[in-house]
Amino acid sequence: MKSIYHLLILCLCASLLSACQISYLVKSGYNQMKLLSQRVPIEEALKDPQISETDKNKLRLAQEARKFAEKDLHLKPTKNYSSFVQLDRPYVTYVVSAAPRWELKHYQWSYPFVGKMPYKGYFNENDAREEEKDLQQNENLDTYMRGVSAYSTLGYFNDPLLSSMLRYDDYDLVNTIIHETVHATLYIKHAADFNERLATFLGNKGAEQFYLKKEGPDSKTLLQLRKENDDAKAFSKFISTELAALEKWYKDLPADDRSEDKRMERIRQIQEKFTTELQPHLQTDNHKKFPELKLNNARLLVYKTYMQDLSDFQTLYELLGSDYSRFIENCKALEKAPDPTAALKQMIVDITKQAQQK
C-alpha cells in the first residue's frame, strides 16, 4: 500500500508537467510497480533451487553489508535489499546522459521530489535509445547511454536486491549496498553530482571497514580494496585536473576555430596523458579501459559526477578523525546550502581554523 501511495503522489505531481513528462512518469511508475510486484523475501530466495549456491552466497553477503551499514556505519535503517527480484534482462534500467558539444555542462531533466538530474532512466532499452537519438538529432548534443545494474529510489520504495547486482565481485556488491544506503540516508535536492561523489567516497570507505571487521587487518580482500581506493583517488585527481583544463580550452577557443576533428583530438589528448603519466603508477586494472573508450562531453561528465574532487571528502574525513558517523552528520549540515560543494570547502576551512585555534 505504501508503494501505491507513493505512485499516486508521483502521478499527482505529473499533472503539473508537460504531456511528454506525464507519459514518461506514468510509464516509469508502472514499470517500477511491476518490478516491485516481483519481489520475494530473501529467506524465500535462499530456498529457491533455481538460484545457484554462488548467487545465494551473494544474497547472504548483501544482508551482512546491509546490517553493517545500519549498525556499524549508522546509516539510515530501511527495508531496502531485504527482498530479491530475478530480472529477465542484464540491466534493470538504461540511463541517458547528454551535454553540449562545446561546453562541459550537464543537460538536465527535472523530476518531482528530487529536482534536477543529469540523466534520464528507462526500464526499456529501446526507449533509452530513442531518447538518445532525439537528443543527438534534434538538439545536437553529445550523448552517452549505459545499462545500470542497481539504483536507489531514495526511500520512496523498499528497493530489492536485483539479479543484475549479483554479477558484481563480492566487494563491489558490498560497496554498492553501502553506496545506495548513503543515498537513502542523505540526498540533497538539485545536487546530483555532490550526492554521487559523497556516496562514492563513503561506499569506498564503508567497504574497507566492512572487510576489516569481517576478515581482519591481514585480509587479502581488504588489501585489494585499499589498492583500488588508492587508484580511485589518483584517477579522481587526474580527471579533475583534465576536466578543468578541457573546460578552459572550450571557453578560450574562438568560435570560428572550432571543428569536430579538433574537439575529438583534444579529448584524445586526455587519454594519451592518462596512458603515459598515470597508468604506469596504478596498482589495479580498474581504469585500464580508459584509453580505449569512445569519449565525448556526456561521457566525461559522468566522471565529473562520480569522481571529481573526492579529495575534499577525504580532507574533511581526516579532519573529523576518520569518524564515519561524524562525517555523515557534518555533511547533513550541507542540505540547505545553495551549493553544497562550495559549502563543503568552506566547512573544511572553518574546521581547520578551529583546530589551529585550540
Side-chain angles (χ1 to χ4, degrees), residues 119-169:
Y119 41 75
K120 190 172 184 179
Y122 290 89
F123 285 91
N124 183 281
E125 184 178 4
N126 289 333
D127 289 344
R129 293 197 181 282
E130 284 299 314
E131 174 77 17
E132 183 179 40
K133 182 178 178 182
D134 179 67
L135 292 167
Q136 290 172 348
Q137 295 183 350
N138 297 328
E139 303 200 43
N140 194 34
L141 296 172
D142 277 352
T143 62
Y144 174 46
M145 192 195 92
R146 63 195 187 279
V148 173
S149 298
Y151 70 96
S152 171
T153 58
L154 309 179
Y156 289 104
F157 303 103
N158 295 328
D159 299 328
L161 272 167
L162 305 166
S163 57
S164 53
M165 298 168 67
L166 303 185
R167 298 198 308 270
Y168 294 150
D169 290 330

Side-chain angles (χ1 to χ4, degrees), residues 58-290:
K58 293 265 177 89
L59 294 178
R60 295 184 186 100
L61 179 64
Q63 298 313 292
E64 285 186 63
R66 176 175 170 263
K67 291 175 184 176
F68 180 84
E70 295 175 1
K71 293 182 179 180
D72 291 69
L73 301 180
H74 306 292
L75 297 177
K76 182 179 178 180
T78 71
K79 293 183 179 179
N80 290 344
Y81 311 119
S82 59
S83 61
F84 175 69
V85 171
Q86 179 67 51
L87 299 173
D88 58 359
R89 55 190 186 275
Y91 299 106
V92 61
T93 59
Y94 298 85
V95 171
V96 178
S97 305
R101 294 182 184 275
W102 292 94
E103 188 177 6
L104 277 178
K105 178 181 179 181
H106 291 296
Y107 181 92
Q108 299 202 79
W109 290 265
S110 294
Y111 301 93
F113 308 116
V114 296
K116 293 182 179 180
M117 303 282 280
Y119 41 75
K120 190 172 184 179
Y122 290 89
F123 285 91
N124 183 281
E125 184 178 4
N126 289 333
D127 289 344
R129 293 197 181 282
E130 284 299 314
E131 174 77 17
E132 183 179 40
K133 182 178 178 182
D134 179 67
L135 292 167
Q136 290 172 348
Q137 295 183 350
N138 297 328
E139 303 200 43
N140 194 34
L141 296 172
D142 277 352
T143 62
Y144 174 46
M145 192 195 92
R146 63 195 187 279
V148 173
S149 298
Y151 70 96
S152 171
T153 58
L154 309 179
Y156 289 104
F157 303 103
N158 295 328
D159 299 328
L161 272 167
L162 305 166
S163 57
S164 53
M165 298 168 67
L166 303 185
R167 298 198 308 270
Y168 294 150
D169 290 330
D170 283 359
Y171 47 82
D172 287 333
L173 177 60
V174 170
N175 191 317
T176 300
I177 297 294
I178 296 171
H179 179 115
E180 301 300 349
T181 306
V182 169
H183 284 325
T185 303
L186 173 60
Y187 198 90
I188 302 175
K189 191 174 182 179
H190 301 306
D193 283 5
F194 179 87
N195 293 322
E196 293 298 349
R197 290 197 292 268
L198 174 67
T200 295
F201 177 79
L202 289 176
N204 292 345
K205 289 294 182 185
E208 282 192 26
Q209 292 189 29
F210 175 86
Y211 278 102
L212 178 61
K213 180 179 180 180
K214 182 179 175 66
E215 299 180 359
D218 297 325
S219 161
K220 291 182 179 179
T221 308
L222 181 59
L223 177 62
Q224 179 66 19
L225 269 174
R226 285 175 171 164
K227 287 180 179 179
E228 293 189 5
N229 290 345
D230 285 345
D231 283 357
K233 292 176 192 175
F235 184 80
S236 172
K237 182 178 180 181
F238 168 81
I239 201 66
S240 298
T241 300
E242 292 307 310
L243 289 177
L246 179 62
E247 191 167 15
K248 184 178 186 304
W249 184 80
Y250 281 144
K251 289 178 180 178
D252 292 346
L253 190 69
D256 58 3
D257 196 24
R258 293 177 177 179
S259 71
E260 190 63 11
D261 286 344
K262 181 172 287 190
R263 186 171 79 102
M264 288 296 101
E265 176 57 31
R266 177 62 183 83
I267 290 175
R268 278 193 293 272
Q269 289 173 9
I270 297 174
Q271 293 170 296
E272 291 168 2
K273 191 171 183 179
F274 169 87
T275 301
T276 58
E277 297 186 13
L278 181 61
Q279 193 169 26
H281 304 288
L282 297 180
Q283 305 172 75
T284 71
D285 291 335
N286 280 10
H287 303 283
K288 68 177 183 179
K289 293 183 179 180
F290 182 77

Side-chain angles (χ1 to χ4, degrees), residues 30-31 56 174 195 230 245 271 283 292 304 344 346:
Y30 168 79
N31 282 299
K56 287 179 181 178
V174 170
N195 293 322
D230 285 345
Q271 293 170 296
Q283 305 172 75
E292 305 161 15
K304 182 179 181 181
L344 173 68
Q346 186 59 49

